[in-house]
Amino acid sequence: MAVAPGLEEALAEEAREKGFEDARAVPGGVEAQGGWHEVWRANLEMRGAARILVRIGAFRAFHLAQLDKRARKFDWAQVLRADVPVRVEVTCRKSKIYHAGAAQQRIERAIAEELGAPVTKAAALVVKVRIEDDLVMLSLDSSGEALHKRGHKPAVGKAPMRENLAALFLRQAGYRGEEPVLDPMCGSGTFPIEAAEIAAGLQPGRSRGFAFEEMAGFDADAFSALKRQGGPAPEARFYGYDRDQGAISNAGANAERAGVAAWTSFECRPVSALEPPEGSPGLVIANPPYGGRIGNRKLLFALYGSFGQVLRERFCGLAGCGCHLGCRTGQSDGDAV
Ligand SMILES: C[S@@+](CC[C@H](N)C(=O)[O-])C[C@H]1O[C@@H](n2cnc3c(N)ncnc32)[C@H](O)[C@@H]1O
């Protein structure tokens, strides 16, 4: 399971909670053992993963002729279909074979000539090959489109947060689907929508397709059996505010498509006018502009000043102080505050 650097441990924790018991963090992701059912289930259920890669084989090769011979002997028909186009991506590190382009050409030719599958640059199905210390490791990208694309959010602003990152930041902030969540600068609504989905027990991959559906051995009935309805309606509510009316309209439409509109509310309001909603204490989490992708850095000083003051004065979360919504910060990569 691949993930952005720094989030491996959080993803491993999610994987273990979801029944991938041997999941362990490695640089850039999480490793777990399992068969195709586990691969399908990981794609369907893992909120934090960017994509699910499946190791399909490994062999040693010290020169291109050996790579050619061993790639031809590999049982591609066990995992790929002759009628589905495929492309190959290769990286080489600390190996006698150092020319990734030449290695790619050998493996593409082996697949085309031994299996008969068309090899095209535009193919959605990707065979990822890593050659490291002369060991050739073959993997398939079972996800296809990155998993943050849940299939519910065509309407986004200039700098949307990826859903899988939002899920992991919520996790790191201690959110487990029970308390209300408020994002004062919600843009397209990623945090409140993701939080509402978690609370409602919805599978993140319920509305989208995956690359593994085009692979050999895919069993549509067995995959359907892994899909389940969400749990009972959550008691908590999920709030998004933004000073931009266009962002608020997008967020509402996205929540509707995700099937969580009943538990989310979005309102056009600047941070300076933020008030804690009625109800039990919860989590404030945001991905404010930081002057990188959008916004003028100098203008951000006033925003951060006002944000801090509003949180301190109206959201301190101390018992008996009159606040309804507590504030905890979930900083993990400098992006979420
Ligand atoms: C980085 S974007 C948030 C993206 C969002 N997490 C998403 O996934 O789409 C920052 C948002 O902060 C909003 N914003 C900037 N200044 C604000 C203010 N003073 N009050 C409320 N919202 C503000 C912008 O309109 C923008 O939508």
Side-chain angles (χ1 to χ4, degrees):
M1 304 177 196
V3 75
L7 293 169
E8 296 92 340
E9 284 298 343
L11 183 65
E13 187 188 88
E14 184 197 351
R16 287 190 292 271
E17 267 174 31
K18 292 195 168 150
F20 300 95
E21 280 160 20
D22 63 342
R24 65 181 184 97
V26 295
V30 168
E31 282 184 356
Q33 302 286 325
W36 283 104
H37 274 75
E38 281 71 38
V39 172
W40 303 339
R41 193 167 71 77
N43 274 288
L44 192 59
E45 294 193 338
M46 288 296 299
R47 286 197 170 270
R51 53 181 70 249
I52 310 294
L53 302 174
V54 185
R55 176 69 53 80
I56 53 170
F59 54 78
R60 295 240 163 242
F62 296 92
H63 50 77
L64 287 170
Q66 203 169 38
L67 176 68
D68 185 63
K69 195 170 160 200
R70 294 189 172 165
R72 282 176 184 279
K73 270 179 75 180
F74 187 79
D75 187 4
W76 295 106
Q78 214 184 9
V79 286
L80 299 177
R81 280 172 27 188
D83 61 329
V84 177
V86 65
R87 67 191 155 94
V88 176
E89 290 175 2
V90 179
T91 57
C92 304
R93 212 173 144 252
K94 292 197 281 182
S95 298
K96 299 215 168 45
I97 298 173
Y98 57 86
H99 191 318
Q104 176 188 335
Q105 188 265 344
R106 299 305 190 282
I107 296 167
E108 285 179 351
R109 200 171 60 189
I111 295 174
E113 293 182 3
E114 301 301 322
L115 176 70
V119 176
T120 64
K121 278 200 177 78
L125 209 58
V126 186
V127 178
K128 290 186 179 278
V129 181
R130 213 169 90 213
I131 308 181
E132 204 169 307
D133 294 322
D134 304 313
L135 183 66
V136 180
M137 289 169 276
L138 305 174
S139 301
L140 287 179
D141 176 353
S142 70
S143 304
E145 234 186 344
L147 292 177
H148 75 272
K149 298 197 174 173
R150 313 278 200 230
H152 307 126
K153 206 173 82 175
V156 294
K158 284 188 201 142
M161 164 150 285
R162 292 183 175 206
E163 284 72 357
N164 69 310
L165 297 184
L168 291 176
F169 295 151
L170 282 162
R171 166 173 286 277
Q172 289 188 315
Y175 177 70
R176 292 292 182 275
E178 274 142 31
E179 60 201 305
V181 172
L182 183 153
D183 181 349
M185 291 173 264
C186 71
S188 55
T190 314
F191 275 128
I193 293 173
E194 198 64 21
E197 288 196 15
I198 294 168
L202 296 169
Q203 290 171 314
R206 65 195 178 281
S207 314
R208 54 162 282 166
F210 301 98
F212 62 70
E213 293 172 50
E214 301 292 314
M215 291 177 188
F218 173 63
D219 180 339
D221 291 337
F223 178 52
S224 288
L226 295 174
K227 293 193 174 180
R228 53 175 172 70
Q229 298 295 316
E235 280 175 23
R237 291 292 173 266
F238 307 92
Y239 305 90
Y241 300 94
D242 202 288
R243 68 171 177 194
D244 183 306
Q245 180 55 53
I248 289 301
S249 304
N250 285 345
N254 293 335
E256 196 72 53
R257 266 184 296 266
V260 298
W263 314 302
T264 50
S265 73
F266 296 97
E267 203 182 305
C268 188
R269 194 185 282 194
V271 160
S272 54
L274 204 60
E275 291 291 341
E278 289 294 325
S280 52
L283 173 72
V284 176
I285 189 166
N287 159 224
Y290 56 87
R293 288 184 293 179
I294 52 166
N296 176 338
R297 237 178 132 248
K298 282 193 187 139
L299 299 178
L300 294 177
F301 288 107
L303 168 63
Y304 279 78
S306 158
F307 187 26
Q309 191 179 359
V310 165
L311 289 181
R312 246 187 345 265
E313 291 175 358
R314 301 176 212 161
F315 289 80
C316 77
L318 293 176
C321 82
C323 286
H324 297 291
L325 204 66
C327 166
R328 271 186 278 136
T329 51
Q331 275 186 314
S332 51
D333 74 348
D335 211 12
V337 177

